[in-house]
Amino acid sequence: MQATHRARLQIHFCVLLWGFTAILGKLISLPALPLVWWRMLLVTLALLLMPRVWRGLHAMPARLRWAYAGIGVLVSLHWLTFYAAIKLANASVGATCIALGPVFLAFVEPWIAKRRFDPRELLIGVAVVPGVAMVVGGVPTDMRLGIAVGVLSALFVALFGSLNKRLVEHGDPLTVTCIELGTGTIFLTLLAPLLPHTGSAFLPPDAHDSVLLLALAFGCTLLPFTLALVALRHMSAFGTQMVTNLEPVYAIVLAMLLLGEQRQLDGWFYAGVAVILAAVFTHPLLHRVRRGPRQTELLGTTESHNMVD
């Protein structure tokens, strides 16, 4: 029980750190693409210093490496659209849109996993529609493009999360993360010339942004990922999923405390957030009822990519 209690506290700490990703994304002055590029590059370089990662790369079949590389492209698109939503709107809006990830997952996972669609999961999608409508009505008009981009980001979460669930047992988690983020870095490098920005997008950031990027890469990515892997040895996937669902809650509260974003949003926004989060918390409950409490369930989260039980 002591180990389980400690693990639960660790997961809450990890989710709190992931909640800071939206805050840091707003505070970093870089546009979305170079912000994500530097974050992925820093984490990849750190992972490449680990002998365990190199051993995992050598042991992994080429076909599996290519599969993880494809997922890495989706991860990079998720982060790119997530931070673009924050730049176009604010951290609260970006975090709220990410809460739609499990809703999309209810529709995407049956298609990718080739299982029958569960009608109960349709209820989640129906229930979240009024919440989204209230969120849209509760933000200024100039932020609504950010909502659209954020919803696209949530769709990417569902896609790469479902694919990771299918393949996660076939590779070491740190090795898989290195492949996915490394591929994402390469993909964004190739994508950059096609996007409307200046050619100096990947120049070294200034001192202020550099400090925040290091905090984002190591304090909000590598550290919680490692702690979560340890904690998952003592927690069920269901219990962990219920905690990770709090990530948008932490992000919105932090945005209110640190950025004062409650002044930009009205009551309809927060009412819509409550409806969306109610649907998000219902999703794992439905899965538990369908599969039974003893059935092991894979877990894919926004920030950890391939954290599993």
Side-chain angles (χ1 to χ4, degrees):
M1 291 298 294
Q2 184 177 2
T4 302
H5 180 66
R6 184 167 58 248
R8 189 175 294 109
L9 290 177
Q10 281 183 226
I11 290 294
H12 274 284
F13 180 62
C14 292
V15 174
L16 177 62
L17 291 178
W18 289 327
F20 272 103
T21 60
I23 308 302
L24 291 172
K26 190 66 176 180
L27 293 175
I28 294 172
S29 63
L30 295 176
L33 190 143
L35 187 159
V36 176
W37 187 84
W38 279 106
R39 181 187 185 184
M40 300 184 94
L41 177 65
L42 290 171
V43 176
T44 301
L45 292 177
L47 290 172
L48 287 174
L49 296 176
M50 301 180 183
R52 167 182 170 177
V53 170
W54 287 101
R55 290 194 298 268
L57 287 172
H58 288 303
M60 187 178 294
R63 184 176 179 180
L64 193 56
R65 288 199 297 266
W66 280 109
Y68 286 128
I71 296 174
V73 172
L74 293 175
V75 173
S76 66
L77 288 173
H78 154 60
W79 274 356
L80 180 61
T81 49
F82 173 61
Y83 287 108
I86 292 173
K87 299 294 183 180
L88 290 168
N90 59 29
S92 297
V93 170
T96 300
C97 292
I98 289 304
L100 294 171
V103 179
F104 281 118
L105 192 66
F107 297 93
V108 171
E109 188 181 7
W111 169 58
I112 292 179
K114 297 180 179 179
R115 64 170 174 84
R116 291 184 60 186
F117 177 77
D118 190 336
R120 287 173 294 184
E121 295 180 339
L122 177 62
L123 296 176
I124 300 173
V126 173
V128 83
V129 170
V132 174
M134 286 187 283
V135 165
V136 172
V139 303
T141 305
D142 59 355
M143 289 189 181
R144 291 180 181 176
L145 178 59
I147 293 178
V149 176
V151 171
L152 181 61
S153 182
L155 176 60
F156 285 129
V157 166
L159 287 171
F160 82 72
S162 297
L163 290 169
N164 264 338
K165 287 180 182 183
R166 288 191 64 182
L167 299 175
V168 73
E169 294 182 349
H170 302 292
D172 171 69
L174 290 179
T175 303
V176 172
T177 301
C178 183
I179 294 173
E180 291 183 356
L181 298 193
T183 304
T185 306
I186 296 171
F187 172 74
L188 292 181
T189 303
L190 299 175
L191 181 66
L194 305 178
L195 297 180
H197 60 75
T198 62
S200 60
F202 299 135
L203 290 177
D206 59 28
H208 173 265
D209 283 342
S210 295
V211 172
L212 295 180
L213 280 169
L214 289 173
L216 181 63
F218 300 116
C220 297
T221 306
L222 270 183
L223 175 60
F225 179 81
T226 304
L227 289 175
L229 287 177
V230 175
L232 280 170
R233 298 173 183 173
H234 306 285
M235 290 185 65
S236 68
F238 176 81
T240 309
Q241 181 68 66
M242 295 302 288
V243 177
T244 55
N245 283 344
L246 290 170
E247 181 183 338
V249 178
Y250 285 143
I252 292 170
V253 171
L254 289 170
M256 293 171 62
L257 295 176
L258 301 178
L259 303 177
E261 290 187 354
Q262 71 275 10
R263 294 189 294 270
Q264 301 173 293
L265 308 166
D266 65 22
W268 282 108
F269 173 84
Y270 294 105
V273 170
V275 173
I276 292 171
L277 290 177
V280 169
F281 279 94
T282 300
H283 180 250
L285 287 172
L286 289 180
H287 276 252
R288 195 183 199 195
V289 170
R290 188 181 70 243
R291 300 177 185 179
R294 296 184 181 181
Q295 181 74 22
T296 299
E297 184 174 351
L298 293 173
L299 174 66
T301 68
T302 303
E303 294 299 330
S304 66
H305 309 305
N306 45 24
M307 192 168 62
V308 296
D309 185 10

